Amino acid sequence: ETGVTQTPRHLVMGMTNKKSLKCEQHLGHNAMYWYKQSAKKPLELMFVYSLEERVENNSVPSRFSPECPNSSHLFLHLHTLQPEDSALYLCASSQDMKGRDTQYFGPGTRLTVL
Amino acid sequence: SQQGEEDPQALSIQEGENATMNCSYKTSINNLQWYRQNSGRGLVHLILIRSNEREKHSGRLRVTLDTSKKSSSLLITASRAADTASYFCATDPGGGNKLTFGTGTQLKVEL
C-alpha cells in the first residue's frame, strides 16, 4: 500500500452520466495530481494541486472538473464523457512540488465510457 | 510532447538473467525517475537520479544517466518472476515535480 487510495476501482458510465472519482492520501503531503493512462500512450498529467490550489491544467477538456477541498482529498468530476475518455485514471501525491519529491500513486480507477 | 521514450518496448528474459531498459529524452532535466507498474495498477517509485549524478544503485537496481546523450538506463540484476511489470522513466524538466512519462518497457521474467 502506498498510502494513496482511490475509489471506485472500476466505473462504467454512459455518455450522459455524471460521476466523480475520489482520491485520498494518508501521507500528509501537500501536492496532489491526476493522471490519465490510455492504452499504448504515455501517462498524461491532467491536473496538479499544491496546498489545495490548482497549479496546472494541461489543456484538459472541461468535461473533466477537478476539486481539492483539502490537502488530503482530490476529486475528479466527470460529465458528458466520450468513449475515448475510457482509461485508467491515476491519482498521486508528493510532499511538495520541489524537484526530487517522489510521487506516490494510488491503484487507479478503470473508467469505461459506453 | 512526449519527453521520455523507453527501449525496448517489450523484453522477455529467464529468471536469473539481467534486464536492461533504456530511456531517451529530449530536453534538459532536473532529475530522472524510474517507476514500475504491475498490470492495471498504480505506479511505484523505484529510484531517482539527479542531473549531476551519473550512476545510482538500489538493491538489485542500477541506474545510469548520461546527460550529454540525454539517456538513462535501468539494469535489474538477477531478475525474478516477481519483477514482471512495466517500467517507466519520467523526467522533471523544470524542477517543479511535473513529471513527463514515456510509454514504458514491458518486462516479462519467465521461470
Side-chain angles (χ1 to χ4, degrees), chain A residues 1-2 9 33 35 37 40-43 45 48 55-56 88 90 94-108 110, chain B residues 2-4 30-31 33 35 37 39-46 48 50 86 88 92 95-104 106:
Chain A
E1 292 297 326
T2 60
R9 295 293 312 277
Y33 311 77
Y35 289 89
Q37 187 176 33
K40 302 201 187 301
K41 283 187 175 181
L43 215 64
L45 179 63
V48 182
V55 297
E56 184 84 10
L88 182 67
L90 293 162
S94 64
Q95 182 61 56
D96 288 292
M97 287 196 64
K98 301 168 189 171
R100 309 190 299 275
D101 280 336
T102 300
Q103 293 189 23
Y104 293 79
F105 283 79
R110 174 68 63 186
Chain B
Q2 183 177 323
Q3 172 74 319
N30 182 277
N31 65 69
Q33 304 179 36
Y35 284 80
Q37 183 181 35
S39 181
R41 306 275 304 179
L43 279 71
V44 175
H45 181 262
L46 295 176
L48 180 151
R50 301 176 193 178
S86 292
F88 297 87
D92 180 8
N97 225 31
K98 296 171 192 173
L99 299 179
T100 303
F101 285 82
T103 49
Q106 279 189 298

Side-chain angles (χ1 to χ4, degrees), chain B residues 14-110:
Chain B
Q14 297 294 312
E15 200 171 46
E17 294 180 337
N18 295 342
T20 300
M21 289 158 265
N22 303 296
C23 168
S24 59
Y25 56 92
K26 295 183 178 138
T27 63
S28 61
I29 59 170
N30 182 277
N31 65 69
L32 185 144
Q33 304 179 36
W34 285 91
Y35 284 80
R36 162 199 169 123
Q37 183 181 35
N38 287 75
S39 181
R41 306 275 304 179
L43 279 71
V44 175
H45 181 262
L46 295 176
I47 198 163
L48 180 151
I49 187 164
R50 301 176 193 178
S51 59
N52 62 352
E53 296 177 312
R54 292 295 166 259
E55 189 171 311
K56 205 159 181 183
H57 296 256
S58 177
R60 294 184 295 113
L61 306 180
R62 174 180 166 244
V63 168
T64 61
L65 179 64
D66 186 336
T67 52
S68 66
K69 294 181 180 177
K70 292 188 170 59
S71 68
S72 173
S73 68
L74 170 67
L75 169 68
I76 303 174
T77 60
S79 64
R80 305 166 183 167
D83 294 328
T84 295
S86 292
Y87 292 82
F88 297 87
C89 68
T91 53
D92 180 8
N97 225 31
K98 296 171 192 173
L99 299 179
T100 303
F101 285 82
T103 49
T105 292
Q106 279 189 298
L107 173 66
K108 185 175 181 182
V109 181
E110 299 182 83

Side-chain angles (χ1 to χ4, degrees), chain A residues 75-88:
Chain A
F75 294 89
L76 188 63
H77 303 299
L78 316 170
H79 62 98
T80 59
L81 294 192
Q82 305 297 311
E84 59 264 30
D85 297 322
S86 298
L88 182 67

Side-chain angles (χ1 to χ4, degrees), chain A residues 5 14 18-19 23 27 30-31 40 44 46 48 54 56-57 60 65 68 81 87-91 96 99-100 113:
Chain A
T5 58
K18 287 185 181 181
K19 296 286 184 183
C23 175
L27 302 167
N30 294 317
K40 302 201 187 301
E44 300 171 57
M46 299 175 72
V48 182
R54 192 190 309 181
E56 184 84 10
N57 176 357
V60 178
S65 174
C68 188
L81 294 192
L88 182 67
Y89 288 85
L90 293 162
C91 172
D96 288 292
R100 309 190 299 275
V113 181

